[in-house]
């Protein structure tokens, strides 16, 4: 049995080799119809109005300053557990999410604060959530990696990689169902799922690509390729696509029957352009798109990561391409904003971030009985004591000695 | 790894030592072919390990956090645990409630070494849980060189005559503290503390012998109360020690809720709650 298995291996390898050229032909054909390299490389002038540019710029600066404040608060012991910061990747969040409507949905990862900010969740509510306070967007029950907001269409941060993607696909189905089955022509909301390059090596990513294409859903897959799967560089974690020296995730789109687009994720205007097209396609009912945005995180994987694995040269290369000064320079050069406008934006952001910390700090911790709430649908919790009282009302509960269920 | 040249260690970021620095220096010593990083794919890591093990290699697969065991459960439960049975003994790859998986949780560094080596040499698939809490809180002398602690044999940490306290992993430390606090009560309560070490198979004999002596049982674990392993122990003790029991077997466990972000100490079964159970048991 064992020997027959080993003998089969060379034959299998040979079969893969002979299939090679066929695959290459398919790939070129499919990608050629979708990738718009020339358009993406062209100057983005005229793409954006002054108002929109300021909105996007505000959002990016807010994302950056919020995260830098999180780092300070984390080291001061105001937050607990793992906290993963988004600094450096703002062009992706702002470039895509600022184009969405309030009724559109976003699915995120454990690096989710800034996606929620872009989608309109107030900084106050997110900071309070990170502090574990009852005024947080999840009443202090979710924390850094699980930011949800039903009101703002944030379907949550998912700490397990890839687990948010099928959930985003399910959300997209609801919109398609309303239009195609219930006949509501106005139903054209879309869902965007964000995830990283490391996630592209888990099964749920591929399962979701297939389902979204199969059901032709208004769903956009956004890979934030920050080049590092925790501590493993992308090139070492993922095999190159056939015929390439590097792995290209966007090329996996055509294999599943959807366009795959590669974009510079450090340039918000290019991200915006690509996202505009994908969102329009989804709203038209023409199905999903896979966008690979090449970006970089300016900090370690989490605040507990000493960040010793990435080279100084690599970090410096991407730091020089910081998306925020890039947009500022573009706005100034093209008359979309003045120096005074820029300063006003920064001042407003600082005030908003400081206000969020003050709000979070002054907010009360959740009631201890909240530990037993939300497990089942009864909002007051499932732990009813023999005398009919809720268990969290029993005297021993606060000292931790009462039976809780 | 020196004694078994087929042994390989693999997992997410283990090449540089892993998030908890548990594999520091291993790759330098044994090379990239035997100590290597995998992509982020828990189901893949476990399936890959099963394949390696089935062909006679010693596969040591690391899953970064216990939480990430769930994506791998399909492979663990449906494949690893049943491989030998299903192949009629052709392939060796081998929990919890899954017949065919051994589940081990050490309570100290020296215990961890001996039990891990035992797991590595087991012909059955083992799930080895390292309590995260102990990585940074526990210091003790660990014997140098090769030694193995037997699987399925509990360890008695304190002899006692009134109550048997059973736990495993980090909870053993809580039980020891509670036993000391109980000895200081007036009148003092003498507790016998058992570290189960292996949850599957578990040392039924050691627990029943102790309960037959003391007449009282308290099991404590961090997992929720309902449907977890304390229930199995309590049920077995009720069957085997029924006529010797002075009080019902009791469980001091986590709440039946997801693990909370705030109020973690309230969820966890701490010394106070164990002590309260001891009092309730002796005054039943």
């Amino acid at each position: 049995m064992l020997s027959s298995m080993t003998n089969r291996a060379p034959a299998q390898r040979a079969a893969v080799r002979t299939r090679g050229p066929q695959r290459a032909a398919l790939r070129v054909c499919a990608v050629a119809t979708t990738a718009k390299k020339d358009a993406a490389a062209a100057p983005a002038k005229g793409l954006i109005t002054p108002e929109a540019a300021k909105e996007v710029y505000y959002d990016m600066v807010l994302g950056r300053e919020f995260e830098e404040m999180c780092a300070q608060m984390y080291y001061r012991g105001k937050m607990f557990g793992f906290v993963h910061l988004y600094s450096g990747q703002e062009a992706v969040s702002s470039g895509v999410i600022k184009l969405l409507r309030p009724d559109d949905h976003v699915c995120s990862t454990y690096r989710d604060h800034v996606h929620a900010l872009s989608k309109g969740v107030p900084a106050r509510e997110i900071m309070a959530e990170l502090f574990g306070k009852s005024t947080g967007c999840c009443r202090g029950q979710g924390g850094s990696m699980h930011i949800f907001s039903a009101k703002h269409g944030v379907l949550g941060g998912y700490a397990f990689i890839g687990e948010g993607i099928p959930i985003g696909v399910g959300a997209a189905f609801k919109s398609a169902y309303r239009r195609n089955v219930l006949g509501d022509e106005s139903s054209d909301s879309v869902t965007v799922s964000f995830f990283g390059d490391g996630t592209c090596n888990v099964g749920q990513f591929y399962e979701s690509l297939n389902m979204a294409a199969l059901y032709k859903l208004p769903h956009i897959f956004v890979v934030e390729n920050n080049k590092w799967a925790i501590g493993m560089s992308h090139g070492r974690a993922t095999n190159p696509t056939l015929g390439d020296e590097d792995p290209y995730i966007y090329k996996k789109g055509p294999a599943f029957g959807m366009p795959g687009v590669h974009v510079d994720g450090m340039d918000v205007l290019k991200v915006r352009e690509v996202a505009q097209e994908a969102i329009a396609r989804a709203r038209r009912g023409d199905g999903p798109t896979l966008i690979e945005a090449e970006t970089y995180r300016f900090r370690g994987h989490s605040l507990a990561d000493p960040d010793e694995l990435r080279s100084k040269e690599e970090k410096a290369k991407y730091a020089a391409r910081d998306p925020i000064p890039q947009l500022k320079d573009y706005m100034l050069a093209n008359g979309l904003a003045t120096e005074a406008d820029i300063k006003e934006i920064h001042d407003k952001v600082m005030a908003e971030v400081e206000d969020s910390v003050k709000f979070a700090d002054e907010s009360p911790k959740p009631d201890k009985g909240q530990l037993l709430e939300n497990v089942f649908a009864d909002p007051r919790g499932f732990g009813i004591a023999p005398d009919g009282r809720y268990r969290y009302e029993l005297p021993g509960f606060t000292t931790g000695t009462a039976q809780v269920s | 790894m020196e004694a078994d040249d087929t042994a390989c260690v693999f997992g997410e970021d283990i090449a540089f030592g892993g998030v908890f620095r548990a594999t520091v220096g291993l790759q330098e010593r044994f090379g990239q072919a035997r100590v290597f990083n995998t992509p982020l794919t828990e189901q893949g890591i476990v399936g890959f390990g099963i394949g390696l093990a089935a062909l006679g290699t010693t596969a040591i697969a690391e899953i970064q956090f216990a939480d990430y065991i769930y994506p791998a459960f399909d492979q663990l439960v449906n494949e690893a645990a049943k491989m030998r049975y299903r192949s009629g003994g052709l392939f060796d790859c081998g929990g919890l409630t899954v017949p065919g998986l051994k589940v081990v949780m050490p309570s100290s560094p020296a215990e961890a070494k001996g039990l891990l080596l035992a797991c590595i040499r087991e012909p059955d698939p083992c799930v080895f849980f390292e309590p995260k809490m102990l990585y940074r809180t526990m210091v003790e002398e660990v014997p140098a060189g090769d030694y193995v602690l037997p699987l399925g044999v509990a360890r008695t940490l304190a002899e006692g005559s009134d109550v048997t306290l059973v736990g495993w992993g980090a909870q053993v430390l809580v039980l020891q503290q509670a036993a000391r606090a109980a000895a200081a009560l007036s009148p003092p309560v003498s507790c016998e503390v058992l570290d189960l070490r292996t949850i599957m198979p578990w040392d039924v004999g050691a627990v029943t012998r102790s309960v037959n002596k003391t007449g009282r049982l308290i099991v404590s674990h961090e997992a929720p109360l309902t449907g977890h392993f304390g229930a199995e122990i309590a049920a077995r003790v009720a069957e085997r020690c029924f006529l010797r029991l002075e009080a019902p077997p009791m469980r001091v466990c986590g709440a039946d809720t997801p693990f909370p972000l705030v109020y973690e100490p309230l969820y966890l079964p701490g010394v106070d709650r164990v002590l309260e159970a001891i009092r309730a048991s002796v005054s039943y």
Side-chain angles (χ1 to χ4, degrees):
Chain A
M1 185 94 192
L2 292 188
S3 64
S4 74
M5 288 180 81
T6 12
N7 288 343
R8 210 152 51 217
Q12 278 174 345
R13 279 198 295 275
V16 169
R17 270 201 300 277
T18 54
R19 279 204 300 269
Q22 248 179 321
R23 281 186 181 175
L26 264 178
R27 171 184 58 79
V28 169
C29 169
V31 171
T33 59
T34 57
K36 293 186 64 182
K37 283 222 151 181
D38 292 343
K45 203 169 178 179
L47 273 178
I48 193 161
T49 63
E51 292 70 33
K54 281 181 212 162
E55 187 199 13
V56 167
Y57 187 73
Y58 185 91
D59 194 54
M60 288 208 289
V61 177
L62 176 63
R64 177 72 54 88
E65 295 300 339
F66 186 89
E67 295 293 68
E68 296 305 309
M69 184 60 87
C70 284
Q72 280 189 42
M73 293 299 126
Y74 177 84
Y75 292 126
R76 272 192 228 166
K78 296 279 188 187
M79 299 171 186
F80 21 91
F82 287 101
V83 174
H84 309 77
L85 300 187
Y86 194 76
S87 299
Q89 303 183 197
E90 295 87 353
V92 186
S93 179
S94 304
V96 177
I97 299 176
K98 281 293 153 198
L99 291 168
L100 297 179
R101 300 191 313 230
D103 64 330
D104 292 328
H105 284 92
V106 164
C107 249
S108 183
T109 68
Y110 47 80
R111 206 183 297 286
D112 57 355
H113 316 161
V114 176
H115 292 143
L117 282 172
S118 294
K119 195 69 180 59
V121 184
R124 278 181 157 204
E125 286 185 21
I126 302 171
M127 194 60 88
E129 184 61 34
L130 301 180
F131 278 44
K133 297 298 183 73
S134 61
T135 51
C137 50
C138 308
R139 306 203 302 158
Q141 286 178 220
S144 171
M145 300 193 270
H146 310 289
I147 303 287
F148 290 75
S149 173
K151 191 177 159 202
H152 297 95
V154 178
L155 267 174
Y158 294 82
F160 285 53
I161 60 167
E163 299 211 336
I165 312 174
I167 291 164
V169 171
F173 184 82
K174 188 199 164 197
S175 163
Y177 184 85
R178 277 188 63 157
R179 177 146 76 180
N180 302 334
V181 180
L182 304 181
D184 178 358
E185 280 304 316
S186 70
S187 173
D188 63 349
S189 67
V190 305
T191 303
V192 186
S193 293
F194 292 88
F195 45 96
D197 43 297
T199 300
C200 298
N201 295 319
V202 301
Q204 293 191 65
F205 168 55
Y206 297 99
E207 293 170 28
S208 303
L209 284 176
N210 182 53
M211 280 174 86
L214 189 67
Y215 304 146
K216 220 174 178 191
L217 298 179
H219 184 271
I220 296 143
F221 298 84
V222 179
V223 187
E224 300 192 57
N225 181 355
N226 64 21
K227 313 300 272 180
W228 283 81
I230 313 182
M232 223 173 153
S233 77
H234 185 41
R236 277 186 288 129
T238 308
N239 201 56
T241 21
L242 196 63
D244 295 319
E245 285 192 9
D246 296 310
Y248 289 108
I249 298 162
Y250 76 100
K251 292 190 178 180
K252 304 184 196 232
F256 286 86
M258 76 181 73
V261 192
H262 193 228
V263 65
D264 176 2
M266 301 301 268
D267 183 333
V268 69
L269 296 178
K270 286 180 185 162
V271 173
R272 201 174 149 91
E273 188 191 356
V274 162
Q276 244 156 2
E277 192 184 322
I279 293 167
R281 178 179 301 118
R283 290 213 202 283
R284 282 198 307 269
D286 288 344
T289 306
L290 171 63
I291 298 173
E292 179 182 3
E294 198 180 316
T295 179
Y296 202 71
R297 57 173 153 78
F298 289 168
R299 287 177 168 273
H301 170 68
S302 76
L303 284 172
D305 173 11
D307 196 15
E308 292 156 346
L309 298 165
R310 305 184 302 170
S311 72
K312 272 187 191 142
E313 295 71 33
E314 184 182 287
K315 288 184 207 175
K317 183 183 130 194
Y318 283 98
R321 305 195 46 238
D322 189 330
I324 294 177
Q326 268 199 73
L327 179 62
K328 182 178 88 177
D329 294 344
Y330 178 85
M331 286 163 73
L332 293 173
N334 291 277
L336 297 169
T338 63
E339 288 282 4
D341 295 334
I342 298 288
K343 186 176 177 306
E344 195 191 326
I345 289 174
H346 281 263
D347 291 347
K348 266 172 82 178
V349 165
M350 288 318 295
E352 185 173 348
V353 171
E354 271 158 29
D355 168 73
S356 75
V357 171
K358 188 163 177 285
F359 175 77
D361 220 20
E362 289 171 357
S363 290
K365 280 174 90 171
D367 181 68
K368 279 184 177 148
Q370 200 179 300
L371 177 67
L372 297 183
E373 293 179 5
N374 300 125
V375 178
F376 294 109
D378 177 343
R380 294 191 67 198
F382 61 99
I384 297 174
D387 66 359
R389 277 193 294 171
Y390 286 97
R391 287 187 192 277
Y392 64 78
E393 292 168 343
L394 300 179
F397 190 85
T398 44
T399 58
T401 54
Q403 287 293 318
V404 289
S405 52
Chain B
M1 293 188 78
E2 272 165 2
D4 174 1
D5 65 8
T6 74
C8 292
V9 183
F10 48 91
E12 293 161 11
D13 278 343
I14 62 128
F16 75 86
V19 268
F20 292 108
R21 300 291 186 265
T23 52
V24 165
L26 267 190
Q27 193 182 55
E28 287 74 20
R29 229 170 117 196
F30 296 104
Q32 287 183 4
R34 298 182 62 195
V35 180
F36 52 92
N37 278 347
T38 61
L40 310 181
T41 160
E42 285 80 18
Q43 199 177 9
I45 292 169
V46 172
F48 180 89
I50 295 170
L52 265 179
L55 297 193
T57 302
T58 304
I60 306 167
E62 199 219 48
I63 300 291
Q64 215 167 43
F65 291 89
D67 317 58
Y68 302 165
I69 200 83
Y70 295 110
F73 248 41
D74 182 23
Q75 283 285 350
L76 270 175
V77 175
N78 287 332
E79 306 304 335
K82 295 166 189 157
M83 188 106 179
R84 181 185 308 107
Y85 189 80
R86 197 180 262 161
S87 70
L90 278 181
F91 288 106
D92 258 353
C93 174
L96 266 56
T97 50
V98 183
L101 277 187
K102 293 195 171 171
V103 181
V104 180
M105 202 184 299
S107 60
S108 82
E111 287 278 302
K113 180 173 173 182
L115 290 169
L116 183 58
L117 283 170
C119 284
I120 289 168
R121 287 167 193 165
E122 262 300 303
D124 292 310
C126 296
V127 182
F128 190 83
F129 287 95
E130 296 174 6
K132 231 171 11 183
M133 188 84 96
L134 300 186
Y135 279 132
R136 290 183 184 128
T137 53
M138 186 128 189
V139 180
E140 78 174 354
E141 290 286 335
V142 177
D146 195 342
Y147 67 97
V148 168
L149 295 172
L151 300 184
V153 179
R155 167 171 82 127
T156 305
L157 284 156
E159 302 261 355
S161 54
D162 299 331
V163 184
T164 300
L165 306 180
V166 176
W168 50 89
Q171 198 60 15
V172 170
L173 303 185
V174 174
L175 295 183
Q176 284 178 293
Q177 285 173 46
R180 279 194 292 273
L185 290 175
S186 155
V189 180
S190 160
C191 297
E192 183 142 304
V193 181
L194 291 184
D195 172 5
L196 216 50
R197 285 174 163 164
T198 317
I199 300 161
M200 185 65 82
W202 66 286
D203 194 344
V204 184
V207 174
T208 53
R209 269 194 304 279
S210 175
V211 176
N212 280 334
K213 183 174 73 174
T214 62
R216 296 179 185 87
L217 169 74
I218 294 168
V219 190
S220 185
H221 54 60
E222 292 176 8
L225 178 75
T226 305
H228 286 269
F229 208 70
E232 175 59 34
I233 296 172
R236 199 73 71 90
V237 162
E239 280 168 15
R240 299 238 181 139
C241 312
F242 190 67
L243 294 175
R244 303 279 191 132
L245 285 172
E246 304 281 345
M250 292 181 181
R251 292 170 291 158
V252 183
C253 307
D256 283 341
T257 70
F259 205 95
L261 173 73
V262 278
Y263 301 131
E264 185 176 298
L266 203 62
Y267 170 98
L268 288 173
V271 176
D272 284 348
R273 273 172 61 195
V274 177
L275 199 58
E276 186 146 305
I278 292 171
R279 279 201 198 94
S281 183
V282 293
S283 62
Y284 182 78

